[in-house]
PDB file of all heavy atoms in Angstrom:
ATOM      1  N   GLY A   1     144.694 111.784  53.384  1.00 91.00           N
ATOM      2  CA  GLY A   1     144.351 113.163  52.892  1.00 91.00           C
ATOM      3  C   GLY A   1     143.664 113.884  54.102  1.00 91.00           C
ATOM      4  O   GLY A   1     143.860 115.102  54.163  1.00 91.00           O
ATOM      5  N   GLU A   2     142.750 113.214  54.863  1.00 92.00           N
ATOM      6  CA  GLU A   2     142.078 113.919  55.925  1.00 92.00           C
ATOM      7  C   GLU A   2     143.093 114.357  56.976  1.00 92.00           C
ATOM      8  O   GLU A   2     143.014 115.384  57.623  1.00 92.00           O
ATOM      9  CB  GLU A   2     141.027 112.935  56.545  1.00 92.00           C
ATOM     10  CG  GLU A   2     140.205 113.607  57.607  1.00 92.00           C
ATOM     11  CD  GLU A   2     139.255 112.647  58.272  1.00 92.00           C
ATOM     12  OE1 GLU A   2     138.998 111.531  57.670  1.00 92.00           O
ATOM     13  OE2 GLU A   2     138.648 112.917  59.240  1.00 92.00           O
ATOM     14  N   VAL A   3     144.147 113.424  57.223  1.00 91.00           N
ATOM     15  CA  VAL A   3     145.134 113.661  58.189  1.00 91.00           C
ATOM     16  C   VAL A   3     145.917 114.856  57.797  1.00 91.00           C
ATOM     17  O   VAL A   3     146.227 115.795  58.647  1.00 91.00           O
ATOM     18  CB  VAL A   3     146.057 112.400  58.348  1.00 91.00           C
ATOM     19  CG1 VAL A   3     147.189 112.782  59.331  1.00 91.00           C
ATOM     20  CG2 VAL A   3     145.339 111.215  58.870  1.00 91.00           C
ATOM     21  N   LEU A   4     146.345 115.025  56.559  1.00 94.00           N
ATOM     22  CA  LEU A   4     147.041 116.174  56.063  1.00 94.00           C
ATOM     23  C   LEU A   4     146.291 117.416  56.210  1.00 94.00           C
ATOM     24  O   LEU A   4     146.808 118.419  56.653  1.00 94.00           O
ATOM     25  CB  LEU A   4     147.354 115.974  54.557  1.00 94.00           C
ATOM     26  CG  LEU A   4     148.429 114.825  54.220  1.00 94.00           C
ATOM     27  CD1 LEU A   4     148.438 114.692  52.727  1.00 94.00           C
ATOM     28  CD2 LEU A   4     149.793 115.258  54.833  1.00 94.00           C
ATOM     29  N   HIS A   5     144.968 117.285  55.955  1.00 96.00           N
ATOM     30  CA  HIS A   5     144.144 118.537  56.105  1.00 96.00           C
ATOM     31  C   HIS A   5     144.052 118.979  57.500  1.00 96.00           C
ATOM     32  O   HIS A   5     144.215 120.098  57.971  1.00 96.00           O
ATOM     33  CB  HIS A   5     142.660 118.198  55.671  1.00 96.00           C
ATOM     34  CG  HIS A   5     141.717 119.282  55.803  1.00 96.00           C
ATOM     35  ND1 HIS A   5     140.937 119.404  56.916  1.00 96.00           N
ATOM     36  CD2 HIS A   5     141.411 120.392  55.073  1.00 96.00           C
ATOM     37  CE1 HIS A   5     140.212 120.471  56.920  1.00 96.00           C
ATOM     38  NE2 HIS A   5     140.410 121.052  55.708  1.00 96.00           N
ATOM     39  N   ASN A   6     143.854 117.969  58.493  1.00 95.00           N
ATOM     40  CA  ASN A   6     143.789 118.329  59.858  1.00 95.00           C
ATOM     41  C   ASN A   6     144.986 118.811  60.426  1.00 95.00           C
ATOM     42  O   ASN A   6     145.045 119.849  61.166  1.00 95.00           O
ATOM     43  CB  ASN A   6     143.271 117.047  60.656  1.00 95.00           C
ATOM     44  CG  ASN A   6     141.876 116.669  60.389  1.00 95.00           C
ATOM     45  OD1 ASN A   6     141.050 117.490  59.894  1.00 95.00           O
ATOM     46  ND2 ASN A   6     141.485 115.429  60.769  1.00 95.00           N
ATOM     47  N   PHE A   7     146.199 118.179  60.078  1.00 96.00           N
ATOM     48  CA  PHE A   7     147.434 118.633  60.641  1.00 96.00           C
ATOM     49  C   PHE A   7     147.820 120.052  60.097  1.00 96.00           C
ATOM     50  O   PHE A   7     148.232 120.883  60.924  1.00 96.00           O
ATOM     51  CB  PHE A   7     148.546 117.684  60.223  1.00 96.00           C
ATOM     52  CG  PHE A   7     148.676 116.348  60.974  1.00 96.00           C
ATOM     53  CD1 PHE A   7     147.559 116.070  61.896  1.00 96.00           C
ATOM     54  CD2 PHE A   7     149.599 115.464  60.710  1.00 96.00           C
ATOM     55  CE1 PHE A   7     147.608 114.869  62.636  1.00 96.00           C
ATOM     56  CE2 PHE A   7     149.695 114.248  61.482  1.00 96.00           C
ATOM     57  CZ  PHE A   7     148.697 113.978  62.394  1.00 96.00           C
ATOM     58  N   SER A   8     147.554 120.343  58.899  1.00 97.00           N
ATOM     59  CA  SER A   8     147.914 121.643  58.427  1.00 97.00           C
ATOM     60  C   SER A   8     147.052 122.824  58.956  1.00 97.00           C
ATOM     61  O   SER A   8     147.493 123.881  58.920  1.00 97.00           O
ATOM     62  CB  SER A   8     147.757 121.726  56.839  1.00 97.00           C
ATOM     63  OG  SER A   8     146.495 121.347  56.411  1.00 97.00           O
ATOM     64  N   ASN A   9     145.801 122.476  59.403  1.00 97.00           N
ATOM     65  CA  ASN A   9     145.003 123.380  60.052  1.00 97.00           C
ATOM     66  C   ASN A   9     145.079 123.314  61.680  1.00 97.00           C
ATOM     67  O   ASN A   9     144.351 124.059  62.317  1.00 97.00           O
ATOM     68  CB  ASN A   9     143.468 123.100  59.737  1.00 97.00           C
ATOM     69  CG  ASN A   9     143.217 123.613  58.265  1.00 97.00           C
ATOM     70  OD1 ASN A   9     143.054 124.863  58.048  1.00 97.00           O
ATOM     71  ND2 ASN A   9     143.127 122.691  57.359  1.00 97.00           N
ATOM     72  N   GLY A  10     145.972 122.629  62.096  1.00 95.00           N
ATOM     73  CA  GLY A  10     146.090 122.537  63.613  1.00 95.00           C
ATOM     74  C   GLY A  10     145.027 121.791  64.313  1.00 95.00           C
ATOM     75  O   GLY A  10     144.773 121.942  65.460  1.00 95.00           O
ATOM     76  N   LEU A  11     144.304 120.972  63.591  1.00 94.00           N
ATOM     77  CA  LEU A  11     143.179 120.266  64.114  1.00 94.00           C
ATOM     78  C   LEU A  11     143.562 118.825  64.573  1.00 94.00           C
ATOM     79  O   LEU A  11     143.147 117.856  64.139  1.00 94.00           O
ATOM     80  CB  LEU A  11     141.996 120.103  63.046  1.00 94.00           C
ATOM     81  CG  LEU A  11     141.525 121.386  62.418  1.00 94.00           C
ATOM     82  CD1 LEU A  11     140.503 121.107  61.311  1.00 94.00           C
ATOM     83  CD2 LEU A  11     140.940 122.244  63.548  1.00 94.00           C
ATOM     84  N   ASP A  12     144.393 118.868  65.590  1.00 91.00           N
ATOM     85  CA  ASP A  12     144.897 117.654  66.220  1.00 91.00           C
ATOM     86  C   ASP A  12     144.566 117.617  67.719  1.00 91.00           C
ATOM     87  O   ASP A  12     145.133 118.457  68.464  1.00 91.00           O
ATOM     88  CB  ASP A  12     146.380 117.444  66.020  1.00 91.00           C
ATOM     89  CG  ASP A  12     147.012 116.393  66.892  1.00 91.00           C
ATOM     90  OD1 ASP A  12     146.362 115.258  66.930  1.00 91.00           O
ATOM     91  OD2 ASP A  12     148.143 116.655  67.477  1.00 91.00           O
ATOM     92  N   SER A  13     143.694 116.695  68.136  1.00 91.00           N
ATOM     93  CA  SER A  13     143.387 116.666  69.524  1.00 91.00           C
ATOM     94  C   SER A  13     144.012 115.394  70.258  1.00 91.00           C
ATOM     95  O   SER A  13     143.634 114.996  71.308  1.00 91.00           O
ATOM     96  CB  SER A  13     141.886 116.589  69.655  1.00 91.00           C
ATOM     97  OG  SER A  13     141.311 115.461  69.014  1.00 91.00           O
ATOM     98  N   THR A  14     144.989 114.821  69.600  1.00 92.00           N
ATOM     99  CA  THR A  14     145.551 113.602  70.071  1.00 92.00           C
ATOM    100  C   THR A  14     146.183 113.921  71.476  1.00 92.00           C
ATOM    101  O   THR A  14     147.030 114.892  71.554  1.00 92.00           O
ATOM    102  CB  THR A  14     146.744 113.060  69.103  1.00 92.00           C
ATOM    103  OG1 THR A  14     146.115 112.930  67.811  1.00 92.00           O
ATOM    104  CG2 THR A  14     147.141 111.719  69.647  1.00 92.00           C
ATOM    105  N   PRO A  15     145.864 113.203  72.495  1.00 93.00           N
ATOM    106  CA  PRO A  15     146.482 113.560  73.798  1.00 93.00           C
ATOM    107  C   PRO A  15     147.916 113.129  73.957  1.00 93.00           C
ATOM    108  O   PRO A  15     148.436 112.262  73.285  1.00 93.00           O
ATOM    109  CB  PRO A  15     145.600 112.683  74.745  1.00 93.00           C
ATOM    110  CG  PRO A  15     145.116 111.508  73.948  1.00 93.00           C
ATOM    111  CD  PRO A  15     144.950 112.032  72.505  1.00 93.00           C
ATOM    112  N   VAL A  16     148.623 113.829  74.883  1.00 95.00           N
ATOM    113  CA  VAL A  16     149.940 113.411  75.279  1.00 95.00           C
ATOM    114  C   VAL A  16     149.767 112.287  76.306  1.00 95.00           C
ATOM    115  O   VAL A  16     148.997 112.377  77.256  1.00 95.00           O
ATOM    116  CB  VAL A  16     150.673 114.605  75.906  1.00 95.00           C
ATOM    117  CG1 VAL A  16     152.019 114.084  76.363  1.00 95.00           C
ATOM    118  CG2 VAL A  16     150.881 115.759  74.868  1.00 95.00           C
ATOM    119  N   ARG A  17     150.454 111.150  76.101  1.00 91.00           N
ATOM    120  CA  ARG A  17     150.351 110.092  76.991  1.00 91.00           C
ATOM    121  C   ARG A  17     150.849 110.338  78.373  1.00 91.00           C
ATOM    122  O   ARG A  17     151.813 111.182  78.550  1.00 91.00           O
ATOM    123  CB  ARG A  17     151.075 108.811  76.412  1.00 91.00           C
ATOM    124  CG  ARG A  17     150.447 108.306  75.113  1.00 91.00           C
ATOM    125  CD  ARG A  17     150.855 106.795  74.974  1.00 91.00           C
ATOM    126  NE  ARG A  17     152.159 106.564  75.138  1.00 91.00           N
ATOM    127  CZ  ARG A  17     153.149 106.590  74.237  1.00 91.00           C
ATOM    128  NH1 ARG A  17     152.880 106.941  73.070  1.00 91.00           N
ATOM    129  NH2 ARG A  17     154.376 106.322  74.560  1.00 91.00           N
ATOM    130  N   HIS A  18     150.211 109.687  79.345  1.00 91.00           N
ATOM    131  CA  HIS A  18     150.790 109.811  80.728  1.00 91.00           C
ATOM    132  C   HIS A  18     152.184 109.185  80.804  1.00 91.00           C
ATOM    133  O   HIS A  18     152.582 108.223  80.170  1.00 91.00           O
ATOM    134  CB  HIS A  18     149.830 109.142  81.738  1.00 91.00           C
ATOM    135  CG  HIS A  18     150.106 109.357  83.151  1.00 91.00           C
ATOM    136  ND1 HIS A  18     151.077 108.701  83.838  1.00 91.00           N
ATOM    137  CD2 HIS A  18     149.530 110.350  83.915  1.00 91.00           C
ATOM    138  CE1 HIS A  18     151.102 109.167  85.147  1.00 91.00           C
ATOM    139  NE2 HIS A  18     150.117 110.146  85.177  1.00 91.00           N
ATOM    140  N   ILE A  19     152.989 109.748  81.654  1.00 88.00           N
ATOM    141  CA  ILE A  19     154.452 109.305  81.695  1.00 88.00           C
ATOM    142  C   ILE A  19     154.533 107.762  82.134  1.00 88.00           C
ATOM    143  O   ILE A  19     155.525 107.176  81.707  1.00 88.00           O
ATOM    144  CB  ILE A  19     155.149 110.099  82.795  1.00 88.00           C
ATOM    145  CG1 ILE A  19     156.744 110.133  82.644  1.00 88.00           C
ATOM    146  CG2 ILE A  19     154.742 109.887  84.186  1.00 88.00           C
ATOM    147  CD1 ILE A  19     157.499 111.172  83.263  1.00 88.00           C
ATOM    148  N   ASP A  20     153.564 107.313  82.778  1.00 83.00           N
ATOM    149  CA  ASP A  20     153.562 105.872  83.225  1.00 83.00           C
ATOM    150  C   ASP A  20     152.934 104.907  82.294  1.00 83.00           C
ATOM    151  O   ASP A  20     152.973 103.660  82.397  1.00 83.00           O
ATOM    152  CB  ASP A  20     152.896 105.659  84.527  1.00 83.00           C
ATOM    153  CG  ASP A  20     153.600 106.360  85.734  1.00 83.00           C
ATOM    154  OD1 ASP A  20     154.868 106.458  85.603  1.00 83.00           O
ATOM    155  OD2 ASP A  20     153.018 106.861  86.734  1.00 83.00           O
ATOM    156  N   ASP A  21     152.308 105.523  81.179  1.00 78.00           N
ATOM    157  CA  ASP A  21     151.642 104.667  80.187  1.00 78.00           C
ATOM    158  C   ASP A  21     152.720 103.926  79.311  1.00 78.00           C
ATOM    159  O   ASP A  21     153.631 104.574  78.805  1.00 78.00           O
ATOM    160  CB  ASP A  21     150.803 105.513  79.235  1.00 78.00           C
ATOM    161  CG  ASP A  21     149.524 105.862  79.985  1.00 78.00           C
ATOM    162  OD1 ASP A  21     149.219 105.420  81.080  1.00 78.00           O
ATOM    163  OD2 ASP A  21     148.755 106.709  79.458  1.00 78.00           O
ATOM    164  N   GLU A  22     152.470 102.591  79.187  1.00 63.00           N
ATOM    165  CA  GLU A  22     153.364 101.909  78.260  1.00 63.00           C
ATOM    166  C   GLU A  22     152.597 101.566  76.989  1.00 63.00           C
ATOM    167  O   GLU A  22     151.458 101.010  77.027  1.00 63.00           O
ATOM    168  CB  GLU A  22     153.723 100.503  78.971  1.00 63.00           C
ATOM    169  CG  GLU A  22     154.707 100.759  80.094  1.00 63.00           C
ATOM    170  CD  GLU A  22     155.189  99.435  80.615  1.00 63.00           C
ATOM    171  OE1 GLU A  22     154.909  98.398  79.927  1.00 63.00           O
ATOM    172  OE2 GLU A  22     155.866  99.367  81.593  1.00 63.00           O
ATOM    173  N   GLN A  23     153.130 101.984  75.896  1.00 62.00           N
ATOM    174  CA  GLN A  23     152.425 101.792  74.573  1.00 62.00           C
ATOM    175  C   GLN A  23     152.457 100.238  74.214  1.00 62.00           C
ATOM    176  O   GLN A  23     153.614  99.612  74.367  1.00 62.00           O
ATOM    177  CB  GLN A  23     153.072 102.567  73.456  1.00 62.00           C
ATOM    178  CG  GLN A  23     152.236 102.677  72.159  1.00 62.00           C
ATOM    179  CD  GLN A  23     152.781 103.675  71.289  1.00 62.00           C
ATOM    180  OE1 GLN A  23     153.989 104.020  71.342  1.00 62.00           O
ATOM    181  NE2 GLN A  23     152.021 104.220  70.413  1.00 62.00           N
ATOM    182  N   ALA A  24     151.414  99.662  73.854  1.00 64.00           N
ATOM    183  CA  ALA A  24     151.368  98.287  73.484  1.00 64.00           C
ATOM    184  C   ALA A  24     152.399  97.943  72.350  1.00 64.00           C
ATOM    185  O   ALA A  24     152.432  98.766  71.381  1.00 64.00           O
ATOM    186  CB  ALA A  24     150.006  97.790  73.168  1.00 64.00           C
ATOM    187  N   VAL A  25     153.122  96.903  72.451  1.00 71.00           N
ATOM    188  CA  VAL A  25     154.031  96.542  71.446  1.00 71.00           C
ATOM    189  C   VAL A  25     153.255  95.923  70.314  1.00 71.00           C
ATOM    190  O   VAL A  25     152.339  95.070  70.387  1.00 71.00           O
ATOM    191  CB  VAL A  25     154.986  95.411  71.877  1.00 71.00           C
ATOM    192  CG1 VAL A  25     155.879  95.010  70.756  1.00 71.00           C
ATOM    193  CG2 VAL A  25     155.827  95.961  72.994  1.00 71.00           C
ATOM    194  N   LYS A  26     153.385  96.519  69.038  1.00 81.00           N
ATOM    195  CA  LYS A  26     152.649  96.089  67.882  1.00 81.00           C
ATOM    196  C   LYS A  26     153.395  95.269  66.907  1.00 81.00           C
ATOM    197  O   LYS A  26     152.880  94.568  66.064  1.00 81.00           O
ATOM    198  CB  LYS A  26     152.071  97.327  67.092  1.00 81.00           C
ATOM    199  CG  LYS A  26     151.107  98.034  68.006  1.00 81.00           C
ATOM    200  CD  LYS A  26     150.407  99.194  67.174  1.00 81.00           C
ATOM    201  CE  LYS A  26     149.367  99.951  68.014  1.00 81.00           C
ATOM    202  NZ  LYS A  26     148.731 100.964  67.222  1.00 81.00           N
ATOM    203  N   SER A  27     154.763  95.337  67.021  1.00 87.00           N
ATOM    204  CA  SER A  27     155.619  94.439  66.216  1.00 87.00           C
ATOM    205  C   SER A  27     156.992  94.287  66.821  1.00 87.00           C
ATOM    206  O   SER A  27     157.420  95.227  67.577  1.00 87.00           O
ATOM    207  CB  SER A  27     155.751  95.004  64.731  1.00 87.00           C
ATOM    208  OG  SER A  27     156.447  96.279  64.825  1.00 87.00           O
ATOM    209  N   VAL A  28     157.776  93.264  66.463  1.00 90.00           N
ATOM    210  CA  VAL A  28     159.066  93.039  66.929  1.00 90.00           C
ATOM    211  C   VAL A  28     159.807  92.736  65.650  1.00 90.00           C
ATOM    212  O   VAL A  28     159.501  91.774  64.885  1.00 90.00           O
ATOM    213  CB  VAL A  28     159.205  91.837  67.946  1.00 90.00           C
ATOM    214  CG1 VAL A  28     160.648  91.614  68.243  1.00 90.00           C
ATOM    215  CG2 VAL A  28     158.385  92.305  69.232  1.00 90.00           C
ATOM    216  N   GLY A  29     160.934  93.436  65.374  1.00 91.00           N
ATOM    217  CA  GLY A  29     161.745  93.138  64.208  1.00 91.00           C
ATOM    218  C   GLY A  29     163.199  93.492  64.382  1.00 91.00           C
ATOM    219  O   GLY A  29     163.627  94.267  65.289  1.00 91.00           O
ATOM    220  N   ASN A  30     164.038  93.037  63.486  1.00 90.00           N
ATOM    221  CA  ASN A  30     165.501  93.376  63.360  1.00 90.00           C
ATOM    222  C   ASN A  30     165.825  93.444  61.956  1.00 90.00           C
ATOM    223  O   ASN A  30     165.277  92.639  61.091  1.00 90.00           O
ATOM    224  CB  ASN A  30     166.287  92.342  64.084  1.00 90.00           C
ATOM    225  CG  ASN A  30     166.517  92.574  65.554  1.00 90.00           C
ATOM    226  OD1 ASN A  30     166.147  91.818  66.403  1.00 90.00           O
ATOM    227  ND2 ASN A  30     167.014  93.806  65.827  1.00 90.00           N
ATOM    228  N   SER A  31     166.717  94.238  61.600  1.00 89.00           N
ATOM    229  CA  SER A  31     167.306  94.376  60.195  1.00 89.00           C
ATOM    230  C   SER A  31     168.697  94.646  60.219  1.00 89.00           C
ATOM    231  O   SER A  31     169.307  95.061  61.299  1.00 89.00           O
ATOM    232  CB  SER A  31     166.533  95.428  59.446  1.00 89.00           C
ATOM    233  OG  SER A  31     166.777  96.716  59.926  1.00 89.00           O
ATOM    234  N   THR A  32     169.433  94.391  59.130  1.00 88.00           N
ATOM    235  CA  THR A  32     170.918  94.649  59.140  1.00 88.00           C
ATOM    236  C   THR A  32     171.302  94.925  57.711  1.00 88.00           C
ATOM    237  O   THR A  32     170.828  94.411  56.742  1.00 88.00           O
ATOM    238  CB  THR A  32     171.689  93.404  59.734  1.00 88.00           C
ATOM    239  OG1 THR A  32     173.033  93.797  59.876  1.00 88.00           O
ATOM    240  CG2 THR A  32     171.626  92.204  58.806  1.00 88.00           C
ATOM    241  N   THR A  33     172.390  95.753  57.712  1.00 86.00           N
ATOM    242  CA  THR A  33     173.127  95.895  56.418  1.00 86.00           C
ATOM    243  C   THR A  33     174.380  95.008  56.463  1.00 86.00           C
ATOM    244  O   THR A  33     175.119  95.156  57.423  1.00 86.00           O
ATOM    245  CB  THR A  33     173.677  97.343  56.191  1.00 86.00           C
ATOM    246  OG1 THR A  33     172.493  98.217  56.164  1.00 86.00           O
ATOM    247  CG2 THR A  33     174.432  97.520  55.014  1.00 86.00           C
ATOM    248  N   THR A  34     174.606  94.064  55.555  1.00 89.00           N
ATOM    249  CA  THR A  34     175.526  93.092  55.627  1.00 89.00           C
ATOM    250  C   THR A  34     176.925  93.580  55.146  1.00 89.00           C
ATOM    251  O   THR A  34     177.062  94.504  54.303  1.00 89.00           O
ATOM    252  CB  THR A  34     175.140  91.875  54.792  1.00 89.00           C
ATOM    253  OG1 THR A  34     174.743  92.321  53.511  1.00 89.00           O
ATOM    254  CG2 THR A  34     174.071  91.132  55.431  1.00 89.00           C
ATOM    255  N   PRO A  35     178.030  93.015  55.668  1.00 86.00           N
ATOM    256  CA  PRO A  35     179.383  93.528  55.353  1.00 86.00           C
ATOM    257  C   PRO A  35     179.772  93.379  53.836  1.00 86.00           C
ATOM    258  O   PRO A  35     180.481  94.178  53.251  1.00 86.00           O
ATOM    259  CB  PRO A  35     180.275  92.513  56.104  1.00 86.00           C
ATOM    260  CG  PRO A  35     179.466  92.040  57.277  1.00 86.00           C
ATOM    261  CD  PRO A  35     178.096  91.926  56.671  1.00 86.00           C
ATOM    262  N   ARG A  36     179.005  92.413  53.188  1.00 90.00           N
ATOM    263  CA  ARG A  36     179.123  92.332  51.685  1.00 90.00           C
ATOM    264  C   ARG A  36     177.715  92.053  51.097  1.00 90.00           C
ATOM    265  O   ARG A  36     176.857  91.742  51.905  1.00 90.00           O
ATOM    266  CB  ARG A  36     180.151  91.239  51.277  1.00 90.00           C
ATOM    267  CG  ARG A  36     179.632  89.752  51.637  1.00 90.00           C
ATOM    268  CD  ARG A  36     180.401  88.746  51.039  1.00 90.00           C
ATOM    269  NE  ARG A  36     180.044  87.359  51.425  1.00 90.00           N
ATOM    270  CZ  ARG A  36     178.943  86.641  51.015  1.00 90.00           C
ATOM    271  NH1 ARG A  36     178.196  87.243  50.062  1.00 90.00           N
ATOM    272  NH2 ARG A  36     178.673  85.460  51.450  1.00 90.00           N
ATOM    273  N   ASP A  37     177.644  92.339  49.835  1.00 92.00           N
ATOM    274  CA  ASP A  37     176.268  92.077  49.243  1.00 92.00           C
ATOM    275  C   ASP A  37     175.959  90.588  49.312  1.00 92.00           C
ATOM    276  O   ASP A  37     176.840  89.794  49.147  1.00 92.00           O
ATOM    277  CB  ASP A  37     176.379  92.512  47.793  1.00 92.00           C
ATOM    278  CG  ASP A  37     176.350  94.006  47.574  1.00 92.00           C
ATOM    279  OD1 ASP A  37     175.897  94.682  48.512  1.00 92.00           O
ATOM    280  OD2 ASP A  37     176.633  94.497  46.456  1.00 92.00           O
ATOM    281  N   MET A  38     174.656  90.342  49.483  1.00 95.00           N
ATOM    282  CA  MET A  38     174.117  89.080  49.350  1.00 95.00           C
ATOM    283  C   MET A  38     173.809  88.715  47.965  1.00 95.00           C
ATOM    284  O   MET A  38     173.206  89.428  47.261  1.00 95.00           O
ATOM    285  CB  MET A  38     172.903  88.863  50.309  1.00 95.00           C
ATOM    286  CG  MET A  38     173.111  88.989  51.831  1.00 95.00           C
ATOM    287  SD  MET A  38     171.651  89.210  52.782  1.00 95.00           S
ATOM    288  CE  MET A  38     171.526  91.055  52.572  1.00 95.00           C
ATOM    289  N   VAL A  39     174.372  87.547  47.524  1.00 95.00           N
ATOM    290  CA  VAL A  39     174.244  87.249  46.017  1.00 95.00           C
ATOM    291  C   VAL A  39     173.434  86.017  45.701  1.00 95.00           C
ATOM    292  O   VAL A  39     173.131  85.683  44.500  1.00 95.00           O
ATOM    293  CB  VAL A  39     175.613  87.205  45.373  1.00 95.00           C
ATOM    294  CG1 VAL A  39     176.301  88.484  45.470  1.00 95.00           C
ATOM    295  CG2 VAL A  39     176.486  86.055  46.068  1.00 95.00           C
ATOM    296  N   ASN A  40     172.993  85.287  46.829  1.00 96.00           N
ATOM    297  CA  ASN A  40     172.219  83.999  46.495  1.00 96.00           C
ATOM    298  C   ASN A  40     171.297  83.645  47.703  1.00 96.00           C
ATOM    299  O   ASN A  40     171.390  84.335  48.730  1.00 96.00           O
ATOM    300  CB  ASN A  40     173.096  82.834  46.207  1.00 96.00           C
ATOM    301  CG  ASN A  40     174.162  82.613  47.213  1.00 96.00           C
ATOM    302  OD1 ASN A  40     173.888  82.638  48.418  1.00 96.00           O
ATOM    303  ND2 ASN A  40     175.422  82.357  46.727  1.00 96.00           N
TER     304      ASN A  40
END
């Protein structure tokens, strides 16, 4: 709710990251839609 209030009022001071900054990996995952439904 606070985020919604701030964003709608333009109250965002989040910086733009430096071009050389690497964002830390927080998760690693994979997903897929299968060719047929999985039934068991």
Side-chain angles (χ1 to χ4, degrees):
E2 181 180 355
V3 175
L4 291 172
H5 176 270
N6 289 343
F7 282 6
S8 59
N9 283 285
L11 302 176
D12 169 44
S13 59
T14 310
V16 176
R17 294 203 314 270
H18 192 276
I19 198 168
D20 294 329
D21 286 351
E22 292 187 7
Q23 193 169 26
V25 176
K26 295 185 178 181
S27 65
V28 174
N30 275 122
S31 62
T32 190
T33 298
T34 49
R36 64 169 174 82
D37 285 342
M38 292 165 277
V39 296
N40 54 42

